[in-house]
Amino acid sequence: MHLPRQRGPLHDLPDTPEAYDAVLADVTDQALARLTPEGGLEHPDCTDDVGDTSLGITSLLALAWQRGKDPRLPEAVRRSLAFHLERRVYRDDNPGYPNLRVRDSGLPYARYVLRPGAHPIGDWPSTVWALLQAVDVLDLVDGLVPDEQRAALLDVARGYWRWLTEATFFNPQEAGNQAIGCVVGGLMLARHLPGHEGTAVRSRALELYREEIRAHRVRDRGALLPPEHGGAYDNNYGPISLSFLAQAHIVSGEEVFAEDGDTLARYIDARLTGGGFDNGGPRYSEQHSGFEAVLGLRYFGARVGADLGRYRGDTRWGRHAVKADGGVDGHFAWMLVWQIQDPTRWHRTPSNGFSRHQLRSGTVSVAFDDRMTPAVVEAGGTYCLPAAVNRQHGHGPVADGFLLCRPMGEVRVRDARAGGLTAKLVTKPVVGRDHVLRHVRSLYVTDGTLLWVTVAVERLDGTPYLLAGMPYAADDGDRVRRTAEAAVGAAGALRLTHPASSGPEHFDARAELTQEQAAFALAADPRGYGDPDEGWRHLVSSTALEADPLPGGPEDLTVFAVRYGSAEPLRVSVEHAEAGLTVRTDAFTAVLGDPAGDARGEPELTLRAAP
């Protein structure tokens, strides 16, 4: 079983001018064959997200004409533009739409579903999308359509902006990508408006960004991010927001968009595995965007010097939106227009500096969450997610059923490199059920192929073990397949356990079920509207790697040692002395200094590769 949407890295798709001309040629052929007598270019199977789609194809045809002057295109552009203006612009209030501030305004808007009263909640983003398609067409149709038709489109675009910012509440779904998209629409529209009107629209767009988006950013993993459907980041919509920030900066030149895009780009770089796998978010835990993310990942990847194109997108949408039969759909077409127009090329080498929330080298990476607990461990082409035990999720020591990974105080981090090795030491104070404060020290070391993890904590009674993750997915060519296995070795006994109970609260990785499906089954609201991450937090137990303590370790400590990427026996020794904790393996020696010896209480880490 393969994950349905995480496919190839987005930077593997050719993005030369010749490649894009071939894409536009294919779109042209499909569109001309589809064009209805009325001028419609919608896919026959399009029922929702429909209000902007014909106009989106029109914009692609206009761009194709600008690049190739195909004589078949001017008539198709004029007819399809007339279709949108006559049949897809609505001025009567949609029955049941809950977010109006002004009734019977007469301002134009686009519908998510054409039938009156059918799912009206989607009309706000559909109107944002229609505005963006409209301003793209306005940019591209000089000399292609009659002046009166262009003037009519400009009037509709002006009305879309007013409906979005005057007749309705702004950003009613609390979706950062939609809100930033609206701002981009205003900035692009302003360039087509005369004098003070254009200046006023631009000022209003910038004001909305500052006061309605930027002022409400959410902090995650040390970064302030545009909120996405109530959360800090979503692995489908987050990269789309990055694309909108890129276009906002290209269009306006305002530095605030560059600064916020750089922040979001570095955040994505830190949370993304080396292989491009990612999951999590308040809307879709595993659904990934495709071409919608390319502009932002490429533009800001080049700015911050990171290979963000490793992001595994849904390459079925690698060029443009498609329906089940593979036919082109005009939804989000502006993203293809923008990425074709932008000359930035992919930055393909990893960023060089240390990142607090990531350890990465070669084919090994660890992405850490806000508590500096591994969110994804990648080694040997396998991705391990945090496991669950007794409703507790994470990665760390378990004593008497209690998982010691939630910090009770400041989490400190120290990074080091030596002899081809990269290491990260994480120290966090934790409190158990006995209310005793303990210090968990977790050392992560990689040579780019294998990952060694050593965890030490004050002596634990009973039969403690290390909860070392849940094998979940593995690379399989240009796809990612579900798995319940991982090549892992340990210094103590190692077990791969599965839930003893059944039901949605217990995730058995051997089942043909994705994490996204399981998370939505536990969410409070229906799939597509609820928060799968909130649902996943209700998980009671999961498949888990469990490692027993290191035999013969220090008397005053309980120490665990595992290695990801190889199931061969792991040889490791640990000594605790006044100078600190010394960890020796066949590959390295590391000394974890006593924080009490540092004037600021910071942990010390000395790393040396084995001779």
Side-chain angles (χ1 to χ4, degrees):
M1 173 186 175
H2 289 101
L3 297 182
R5 302 181 185 93
Q6 297 212 27
R7 295 174 180 251
L10 290 175
H11 64 200
D12 286 354
L13 293 169
D15 62 347
T16 62
E18 295 77 15
Y20 282 133
D21 283 337
V23 172
L24 290 174
D26 176 59
V27 171
T28 295
D29 289 343
Q30 290 192 52
L32 293 177
R34 179 187 300 169
L35 187 67
T36 67
E38 297 82 9
L41 288 171
E42 293 157 1
H43 191 285
D45 295 337
C46 194
T47 57
D48 56 18
D49 262 327
V50 68
D52 70 303
T53 60
S54 182
L55 191 59
I57 298 291
T58 302
S59 72
L60 293 175
L61 296 183
L63 179 62
W65 183 79
Q66 293 284 0
R67 293 169 69 89
K69 296 299 188 288
D70 186 331
R72 301 173 297 171
L73 292 178
E75 181 185 1
V77 169
R78 289 192 290 268
R79 287 175 57 193
S80 60
L81 179 53
F83 170 83
H84 181 82
L85 293 172
E86 294 168 8
R87 295 176 178 250
R88 292 297 177 260
V89 177
Y90 295 84
R91 295 181 182 271
D92 294 333
D93 294 351
N94 199 352
Y97 186 69
N99 298 316
L100 290 175
R101 301 174 64 190
V102 179
R103 293 282 183 190
D104 302 317
S105 68
L107 293 171
Y109 67 95
R111 286 186 177 174
Y112 176 76
V113 176
L114 300 181
R115 183 163 55 87
H119 202 85
I121 195 69
D123 288 356
W124 201 86
S126 286
T127 304
V128 173
W129 311 154
L131 171 61
L132 292 169
Q133 311 284 25
V135 292
D136 268 358
V137 172
L138 289 169
D139 283 348
L140 295 166
V141 294
D142 282 344
L144 190 56
V145 302
D147 290 345
E148 59 269 21
Q149 196 177 37
R150 188 182 186 281
L153 179 62
L154 178 57
D155 186 65
V156 166
R158 180 191 285 113
Y160 284 156
W161 171 254
R162 292 189 58 200
W163 188 86
L164 291 164
T165 60
E166 298 175 22
T168 70
F169 289 95
F170 183 78
N171 191 21
Q173 295 185 21
E174 297 183 357
N177 74 97
Q178 298 172 10
I180 304 172
C182 183
V183 167
V184 172
L187 294 171
M188 296 183 70
L189 173 65
R191 302 185 303 180
H192 294 280
L193 298 174
H196 71 275
E197 184 184 5
T199 300
V201 169
R202 177 188 168 94
S203 297
R204 178 61 173 149
L206 295 174
E207 178 187 46
L208 285 169
Y209 184 75
R210 289 192 306 268
E211 297 184 1
E212 299 295 337
I213 301 171
R214 199 167 198 263
H216 298 280
R217 288 177 298 170
V218 180
R219 185 177 296 278
D220 184 50
R221 307 186 194 193
L224 283 171
L225 308 171
E228 190 55 66
H229 287 284
Y233 177 82
D234 184 285
N235 69 337
N236 179 36
Y237 294 117
I240 296 175
S241 284
L242 191 65
S243 287
F244 283 131
L245 287 169
Q247 183 67 3
H249 184 239
I250 291 168
V251 171
S252 72
E254 293 287 337
E255 193 62 23
V256 65
F257 298 117
E259 293 173 0
D260 292 353
D262 288 351
T263 297
L264 179 54
R266 292 190 179 98
Y267 171 88
I268 292 175
D269 186 37
R271 70 171 290 142
L272 195 61
T273 61
F277 173 85
D278 186 22
N279 77 302
R283 261 315 261 284
Y284 294 109
S285 285
E286 289 183 298
Q287 182 169 334
H288 273 48
S289 51
F291 77 102
E292 316 102 295
V294 166
L295 176 67
L297 295 172
R298 196 173 66 188
Y299 186 82
F300 283 106
R303 278 184 56 91
V304 304
D307 57 334
L308 299 184
R310 70 187 190 274
Y311 179 93
R312 283 186 180 269
D314 189 337
T315 50
R316 294 169 300 184
W317 280 43
R319 300 302 194 182
H320 47 67
V322 297
K323 288 301 184 184
D325 64 358
V328 62
D329 178 4
H331 186 50
F332 262 59
W334 65 85
M335 286 294 193
L336 178 57
V337 172
W338 298 345
Q339 65 172 274
I340 291 175
Q341 294 173 330
D342 178 55
T344 308
R345 299 279 71 89
W346 289 111
H347 181 95
R348 295 181 178 273
T349 56
S351 50
N352 294 322
F354 290 117
S355 172
R356 176 180 174 88
H357 292 93
Q358 186 191 63
L359 172 72
R360 181 185 173 199
S361 176
T363 59
V364 171
S365 65
V366 184
F368 295 88
D369 65 16
D370 216 27
R371 305 178 303 183
M372 287 306 297
T373 296
V376 186
V377 173
E378 172 194 20
T382 299
Y383 304 97
C384 292
L385 303 181
V389 57
N390 295 337
R391 300 185 185 274
Q392 304 159 94
H393 302 194
H395 188 292
V398 178
D400 193 25
F402 189 83
L403 175 59
L404 297 167
C405 76
R406 292 168 298 281
M408 182 64 70
E410 189 65 25
V411 180
R412 303 184 189 238
V413 177
R414 180 61 63 91
D415 294 282
R417 287 194 180 104
L421 299 171
T422 305
K424 186 182 294 287
L425 173 62
V426 177
T427 65
K428 63 174 71 175
V430 299
V431 175
R433 294 196 192 279
D434 56 7
H435 290 205
V436 173
L437 180 69
R438 294 178 172 85
H439 295 82
V440 176
R441 288 180 282 180
S442 301
L443 173 67
Y444 305 85
V445 181
T446 179
D447 62 359
T449 301
L450 303 172
L451 172 69
W452 290 264
V453 179
T454 306
V455 179
V457 63
E458 287 88 347
R459 173 63 62 178
L460 299 171
D461 296 329
T463 55
Y465 63 89
L466 179 71
L467 193 67
M470 175 184 72
Y472 176 71
D475 293 336
D476 187 12
D478 62 351
R479 298 292 302 275
V480 179
R481 61 177 170 83
R482 283 278 288 103
T483 189
E485 301 175 345
V488 180
L494 180 69
R495 300 172 296 279
L496 179 63
T497 65
H498 303 285
S501 303
S502 59
E505 298 86 3
H506 307 277
F507 187 81
D508 191 325
R510 297 170 298 181
E512 290 196 356
L513 188 70
T514 67
Q515 190 264 353
E516 177 187 344
Q517 292 168 326
F520 268 117
L522 294 169
D525 295 307
R527 190 185 187 286
Y529 303 96
D531 181 346
D533 281 2
E534 187 275 333
W536 188 252
R537 285 191 282 271
H538 294 296
L539 196 70
V540 174
S541 65
S542 73
T543 293
L545 288 162
E546 300 177 357
D548 286 344
L550 169 75
E555 292 185 1
D556 57 338
L557 296 176
T558 298
V559 180
F560 308 91
V562 297
R563 182 191 56 223
Y564 298 84
S566 172
E568 294 297 315
L570 173 60
R571 293 192 296 271
V572 59
S573 65
V574 177
E575 300 173 6
H576 195 197
E578 184 175 346
L581 188 66
T582 301
V583 179
R584 290 188 177 88
T585 72
D586 294 339
F588 66 87
T589 298
V591 180
L592 286 56
D594 187 349
D598 182 85
R600 296 178 300 160
E602 294 293 333
E604 297 179 355
L605 173 60
T606 303
L607 179 67
R608 185 173 67 253

